[in-house]
Amino acid sequence: MENETLPEKVDVLIVGSGVAGLATAISAKYFGAHPIVIEKSEYYGGSSALSGGAIWCPANHLMCEAGMEDSIEQAKSYLRHECGELFNEELVDSFLRNAPEAIRFFHEQTHVKLKHRPFSPDYHPNVDGALQGGRVLDPEEFDGRLLMDRLHQLRPPIKEFTVLNGLQLGRQDLVHFTRMTRNFQSLLWVVKTVMRYYYDIARYGRYTKIKMGAALVARLAYTAFQQHIPILTRHHLLRINDSTEGIVSVQIQTPMGEKEIFVSKGVVLAGGGYPHNQAKKKETYRHLQQGFEHYSMAPCSSTGDTIQEAERIGAKFLSTNLNPVSWTPISKIPQREGYRYFPHLFMDRAKPGVIAISSLGKRFVNEAVSYHDFVQEMLRNCQEEGSTYCWLVCDGPALRKYGLGAVPCFPGRVSPYIESGYLVEANSIRELAEKLKINYDSLKATIDCYNEQAKKGVDLDFGKGGDSYQLALGDAENKPNACLRPLRNKLYAVQLFPGDIGTTMGLDVNAKGQVKNGLGEVIPKLYAVGNDANSVMSGSYPGAGITLGPALTFGYVVGKSLGSGEI
């Protein structure tokens, strides 16, 4: 498969091999077209392979078959609230109408096997139209050995989300690894998992139990390989050649040199947005213009080449979203040369014994809100205080039970993170204030106030642990509030900066994924899906899986249209 080359002419050329691109290819092939997927990187999978793999799909058949109730109208009401004045009814209606059909197609007609989460609250569970569970789907674990010689081309996981330098932990693994010193069954789980990991490394050079976003990508890729759809890595889109009748051909840089490919039905842009395009980031990220640091967890290959090339031939780029990116707080892990980055998504902030502190020593946010909401509040507070960062603080018991950022829980080692400067350790509030260069009186007053409220289990200032989403991320064993406990013992801190897991601003598309120009007219034979298309959510973040849900859905919509000819 790796020796495949580009033909002189293709039906459909898909640029990008994340979930959106692969979903488009599979759908196009199923409905009658002959697609090819090209990928600039040496790996297929894009940022999808680094994600948690959650898929948000209201009224999906799996939840309905399990007896859970939902409706398109209810979901639309929720999204209308989330998107506010930027609510795009055309795109939202298309997504909600087609998503259940797309999920059923991939679950029943491909190797993509999904399961619903009975309990997984939308990120703002008290808003009209929100649900407590069912809308979020997860891919089942995948046996990487089925990919054979293409396994090594699947994008590897983020190092900091693995143990033993490559063992990826899924949701169930995390439960067992964090309680293995307190539960014998969890200890057995860990021992078996580690033994399997070392066997795989010796036999295949990589752990073959593929999980989360990588499992979704692997299942899609395996389907594509079974359908004989070429996925060509190290192939870079250089230029789109168009005429008055639409796209004629594209120029592609291949490992063997530049090549022109004629396209009969369409070009689909699925390049993953522009999280590593410095010029476009400065145009659209207001905080960068104000001097903030910013870091992205997306692959470095996501540089917005596809978006820029579409703009060159007249496509309209929308820059009016509520937010330019899907935010996440980031901590920087010192390396011998530069840094690695850790996204503080959900493992630490909501836990009891953990609080966020501004540069002036004050709490400024409900630490248990979503990663997206957290950074929005962080930026607002930093702009008020004239700062560009904050601190995540915990005590000794919290650090050893839950970990903090990249610092593992017990029995993982803490000392290397202290020695590198990633983790700040202090024996008292005064020492912590000195090390963080924060006013002692302000920090002490903040911690004292928090501790008094935490004793009663009610955060009167910010409401930490105040809804089902927040409580689900806390510690159910901690009473009376799963997210609150007074700070005690030694104190530890990690510095946080604004970051992202992908961009939300993108090309203006219609309900069928067709790219529009500045006049609102469709550019013939040009489509965009995934983060190359403007966010269906208009830059809001309603719940887990709101990127991959539309990626699968519009990949299906575009692929079906191209395959069947029903544009």
Side-chain angles (χ1 to χ4, degrees):
M1 296 292 287
E2 291 186 61
N3 295 322
E4 290 177 307
T5 58
L6 283 168
E8 297 293 330
K9 183 177 180 180
V10 299
D11 286 349
V12 180
L13 180 74
I14 299 159
V15 187
S17 63
V19 163
L22 294 177
T24 305
I26 292 167
S27 304
K29 183 64 178 285
Y30 182 88
F31 288 102
H34 295 284
I36 285 181
V37 179
I38 64 169
E39 166 60 50
K40 177 171 64 173
S41 168
E42 63 184 300
Y43 301 112
Y44 60 83
S47 59
S48 303
L50 304 179
S51 72
I55 301 161
W56 197 75
C57 176
N60 65 78
H61 74 283
L62 294 173
M63 67 179 293
C64 294
E65 289 171 0
M68 303 187 74
E69 295 184 359
D70 193 11
S71 69
I72 290 176
E73 293 72 23
Q74 192 172 356
K76 185 174 180 178
S77 176
Y78 180 55
L79 293 184
R80 188 183 296 277
H81 173 274
E82 295 294 286
C83 299
E85 294 180 356
L86 294 179
F87 180 74
N88 186 327
E89 190 160 17
E90 178 189 8
L91 288 189
V92 170
D93 282 348
S94 180
F95 167 61
L96 294 177
R97 183 176 66 254
N98 289 294
E101 179 182 332
I103 291 302
R104 183 180 289 277
F105 167 79
F106 287 109
H107 185 74
E108 296 181 353
Q109 302 298 329
T110 78
H111 292 285
V112 174
K113 302 305 172 191
L114 305 168
K115 51 189 176 183
H116 76 288
R117 297 184 194 174
F119 181 71
S120 181
D122 289 325
Y123 284 177
H124 304 119
N126 297 329
V127 169
D128 181 48
L131 284 192
Q132 298 297 315
R135 288 174 174 169
V136 180
L137 304 167
D138 292 300
E140 293 185 4
E141 185 179 284
F142 182 73
D143 185 352
R145 293 173 294 188
L146 294 173
L147 294 173
M148 297 185 290
D149 61 334
R150 302 301 293 265
L151 174 61
H152 72 280
Q153 287 185 304
L154 173 64
R155 182 170 290 281
I158 298 170
K159 179 182 177 182
E160 284 68 36
F161 277 15
T162 69
V163 295
L164 303 176
N165 202 34
L167 196 168
Q168 185 178 22
L169 301 181
R171 296 171 65 86
Q172 193 171 20
D173 296 316
L174 285 170
V175 173
H176 290 296
F177 271 77
T178 55
R179 69 180 188 183
M180 65 178 175
T181 59
R182 309 188 307 276
N183 183 288
F184 183 68
Q185 293 302 318
S186 290
L187 178 61
L188 288 179
W189 177 284
V190 170
V191 170
K192 291 179 180 179
T193 298
V194 171
M195 290 177 63
R196 167 66 183 271
Y197 168 68
Y198 281 121
Y199 171 81
D200 282 352
I201 293 297
R203 178 70 176 81
Y204 304 103
R206 178 172 177 171
Y207 191 39
T208 62
K209 298 183 75 172
I210 312 299
K211 309 167 190 289
M212 298 189 293
L216 180 58
V217 168
R219 288 182 172 280
L220 287 167
Y222 183 59
T223 300
F225 297 146
Q226 293 287 299
Q227 293 180 336
H228 304 290
I229 299 172
I231 301 176
L232 305 176
T233 58
R234 302 179 189 272
H235 283 62
H236 183 190
L237 173 70
L238 296 176
R239 184 179 177 87
I240 297 174
N241 302 313
D242 65 325
S243 70
T244 55
E245 297 180 357
I247 295 171
V248 176
S249 65
V250 294
Q251 304 293 134
I252 297 174
Q253 184 66 50
T254 79
M256 303 301 293
E258 187 175 328
K259 187 172 183 178
E260 181 178 17
I261 308 298
F262 290 89
V263 180
S264 61
K265 293 191 174 184
V267 171
V268 184
L269 305 180
Y274 63 99
H276 292 285
N277 185 310
Q278 295 305 314
K280 206 160 195 66
K281 284 164 59 177
K282 287 183 179 179
E283 291 176 9
T284 55
Y285 295 12
R286 179 183 169 193
H287 64 295
L288 283 184
Q289 299 166 8
Q290 298 171 332
F292 280 76
E293 296 180 50
H294 183 97
Y295 304 96
S296 179
M297 297 308 301
C300 293
S301 55
S302 298
T303 55
D305 306 25
T306 43
I307 291 175
Q308 288 185 317
E309 185 58 16
E311 287 186 282
R312 187 189 64 78
I313 63 171
K316 182 179 180 181
F317 175 83
L318 293 177
S319 59
T320 55
N321 285 350
L322 296 167
N323 296 277
V325 298
S326 298
W327 300 109
T328 185
I330 296 284
S331 54
K332 303 192 304 185
I333 308 167
Q335 305 291 299
R336 288 185 178 180
E337 295 182 5
Y339 296 91
R340 292 181 65 87
Y341 307 111
F342 186 92
H344 294 249
L345 296 168
F346 57 85
M347 287 300 296
D348 50 17
R349 292 177 293 102
K351 296 297 190 293
V354 180
I355 60 174
I357 298 294
S358 75
S359 62
L360 297 184
K362 300 177 181 180
R363 285 183 75 207
F364 61 91
V365 68
N366 177 340
E367 296 87 354
V369 295
S370 76
Y371 35 94
H372 186 76
D373 291 355
F374 182 94
V375 176
Q376 289 186 89
E377 287 302 306
M378 175 183 171
L379 287 171
R380 178 195 59 75
N381 184 77
C382 285
Q383 288 164 353
E384 290 180 0
E385 295 188 355
S387 177
T388 58
Y389 61 86
C390 70
W391 297 93
L392 196 61
V393 176
C394 75
D395 61 12
L399 181 74
R400 299 318 283 142
K401 188 172 184 180
Y402 315 116
L404 189 70
V407 183
C409 62
F410 182 81
R413 296 178 63 209
V414 174
S415 57
Y417 296 92
I418 297 174
E419 292 167 3
S420 72
Y422 175 78
L423 182 69
V424 177
E425 180 184 44
N427 291 309
S428 66
I429 297 176
R430 184 175 296 277
E431 184 180 355
L432 183 66
E434 291 174 355
K435 289 187 174 181
L436 302 188
K437 295 180 173 57
I438 290 176
N439 179 272
Y440 165 71
D441 292 333
S442 176
L443 181 60
K444 186 177 187 305
T446 295
I447 292 179
D448 287 346
C449 178
Y450 168 81
N451 283 349
E452 284 302 312
Q453 295 182 27
K455 290 176 184 177
K456 301 174 184 178
V458 179
D459 179 8
L460 297 176
D461 293 328
F462 295 97
K464 186 178 183 183
D467 64 38
S468 56
Y469 168 74
Q470 297 170 37
L471 292 173
L473 298 179
D475 181 351
E477 297 176 355
N478 186 79
K479 306 295 182 181
N481 188 318
C483 300
L484 294 176
R485 177 180 58 71
L487 296 174
R488 55 179 182 265
N489 254 333
K490 285 186 176 181
L491 297 173
Y492 297 86
V494 168
Q495 193 172 29
L496 300 185
F497 299 89
D500 73 80
I501 52 176
T503 50
T504 70
M505 294 178 179
L507 299 172
D508 190 13
V509 297
N510 64 14
K512 296 181 179 180
Q514 295 171 294
V515 176
K516 296 187 285 186
N517 61 24
L519 299 176
E521 302 166 337
V522 167
I523 298 176
K525 297 201 282 189
L526 184 62
Y527 302 80
V529 292
N531 286 355
D532 276 1
N534 197 58
S535 165
V536 177
M537 312 297 170
S538 301
S540 66
Y541 210 99
I546 58 90
T547 301
L548 294 185
L552 270 179
T553 300
F554 283 97
Y556 172 76
V557 169
V558 171
K560 181 179 180 181
S561 296
L562 288 169
S564 64
E566 298 176 0
I567 305 300

